[in-house]
């Protein structure tokens, strides 16, 4: 009798666990279906407006030697023409084990060796051989392994900001700006839409030129990351990824973007460490063939980069 009762209890427990597992599987399936639907809905709406050409580039990326995921971020000054130079060159690193986020900006006027083409400004590598040649150039000169790339042009930047931040991105504009940026900005704390934010990060007509421009670009990316975590939720992430996908040319899969986006959201506002290459004291401003360029001390810069990327906090 006791044995029969024991068997009945075991059967009930087994059925209960089966029910729990079935419910969990249904929830997971529902979440996946919902996420896919939101992703496709966002991408479909964005594709109707996007004019970005879907061109596939060769990119033989490798994993970072320090265990992080390095992404080559490129802002292109292309307006539809081929062989556009890189207007902005950055490397973003996400290290899942350390939970760190790092951002390096590369001055576009650095005079370096471009494999197969000789010495020139680093931003010409994109025009000469696409992101793969720029990857090789960064690897040869600065010993950085890059796994992914992402290219966004001016129009794409405007659309992405407007979609992700319909109320604008809050930025402290430090001075009046208008020269050669297509908009007029007044100083003060304000919310900038995509067009005005693009003007802000492109402005370079002040005493420090590109150096101040790089600082503003890093500031904007930090603010975008911080404000994104406060405005968005995990439920909105799939649709947002779908919205931005048509505007960005990248070899990153949707799953990679969702994974990194999820970690940003669940981890709160990220503490993004920044660096500029070349570092202070490791370059000279000079003129070569009539063009103003930066000649750099490669070994000193490589040492600074290694220290920056190997930091675990």
């Amino acid at each position: 009798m006791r044995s029969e009762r024991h068997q009945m209890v075991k059967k009930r427990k087994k059925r209960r666990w089966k029910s729990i597992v079935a419910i969990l599987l249904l929830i997971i399936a529902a979440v996946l279906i919902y996420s896919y639907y939101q992703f496709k809905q966002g991408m479909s709406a964005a594709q109707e407006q996007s004019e970005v050409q879907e061109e596939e580039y060769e990119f033989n990326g490798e994993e970072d030697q320090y265990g992080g995921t390095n992404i080559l971020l490129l802002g292109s000054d292309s307006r539809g023409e081929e062989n556009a130079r890189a207007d902005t060159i950055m490397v973003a690193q996400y290290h899942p084990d350390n939970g760190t986020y790092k951002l390096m900006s590369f001055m576009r006027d650095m005079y370096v060796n471009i494999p197969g083409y000789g010495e020139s400004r680093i931003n010409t590598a994109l025009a000469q051989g696409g992101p793969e040649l720029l990857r090789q150039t960064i690897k040869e000169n600065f010993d950085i392994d890059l796994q992914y790339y992402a290219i966004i042009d001016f129009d794409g930047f405007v659309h992405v900001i407007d979609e992700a931040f319909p109320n604008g991105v809050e930025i402290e504009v430090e001075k009046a700006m208008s020269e050669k940026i297509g908009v007029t900005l007044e100083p003060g704390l304000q919310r900038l839409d995509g067009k005005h934010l693009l003007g802000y990060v492109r402005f370079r007509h002040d005493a420090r030129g590109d150096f101040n421009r790089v600082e503003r670009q890093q500031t904007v990316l930090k603010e975008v990351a911080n404000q994104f975590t406060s405005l968005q939720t995990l439920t909105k992430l799939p649709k947002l990824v779908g919205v931005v996908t048509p505007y960005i040319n990248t070899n990153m899969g949707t799953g990679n973007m969702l994974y990194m986006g999820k970690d940003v959201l669940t981890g709160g506002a990220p503490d993004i460490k920044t660096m500029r290459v070349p570092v202070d004291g490791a370059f000279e401003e000079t003129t070569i063939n009539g063009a103003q360029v930066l000649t750099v001390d490669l070994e000193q810069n490589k040492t600074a980069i290694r220290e920056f990327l190997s930091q675990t906090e």
Side-chain angles (χ1 to χ4, degrees), residues 97-240:
D97 295 335
N98 299 334
T100 55
Y101 301 85
K102 297 177 182 179
L103 184 68
M104 291 182 288
S105 293
F106 290 76
M107 301 291 289
R108 62 183 183 175
D109 290 338
M110 285 191 295
Y111 199 72
V112 298
N113 183 60
I114 299 176
Y117 292 86
E119 293 189 325
S120 185
R121 286 174 171 170
I122 193 171
N123 69 334
T124 63
L126 182 65
Q128 292 167 328
E132 168 61 14
L133 182 58
L134 185 51
R135 181 196 69 79
Q136 294 175 19
T137 302
I138 292 175
K139 174 63 178 176
E140 177 175 306
N141 290 277
F142 301 104
D143 195 27
I144 302 173
D145 292 310
L146 300 168
Q147 190 170 0
Y148 301 109
Y149 75 87
I151 307 174
I152 185 169
D153 66 12
F154 292 162
D155 289 336
F157 178 87
V158 171
H159 283 294
V160 167
I161 293 299
D162 287 343
E163 288 288 352
F165 300 92
N167 296 321
V169 176
E170 190 173 79
I171 291 291
E172 179 74 47
V173 179
E174 64 272 21
K175 65 184 75 174
M177 304 177 185
S178 61
E179 189 174 352
K180 295 184 178 180
I181 59 175
V183 295
T184 298
L185 297 173
E186 299 298 335
L189 183 64
Q190 54 204 282
R191 288 191 172 274
L192 301 181
D193 62 10
K195 184 177 180 180
H196 287 80
L197 192 62
L198 175 64
Y200 179 73
V201 298
R202 290 187 62 203
F203 183 76
R204 62 192 293 251
H205 295 278
D206 55 16
R208 297 188 68 231
D210 257 359
F211 289 92
N212 275 345
R213 191 176 76 111
V214 163
E215 289 180 6
R216 280 190 287 272
Q217 290 171 351
Q218 292 183 343
T219 296
V220 165
L221 283 184
K222 282 185 174 183
E223 286 301 322
V224 165
N226 288 336
Q227 294 176 40
F228 178 78
T229 59
S230 64
L231 292 174
Q232 306 296 330
T233 65
L234 280 173
T235 58
K236 296 179 181 178
L237 182 60
K239 185 174 182 179
L240 184 59

Side-chain angles (χ1 to χ4, degrees), residues 35-47:
S35 298
Y36 180 75
Y37 171 76
Q38 290 291 308
F39 170 77
K40 296 298 288 186
Q41 187 182 51
M43 189 166 67
S44 177
Q47 282 177 330

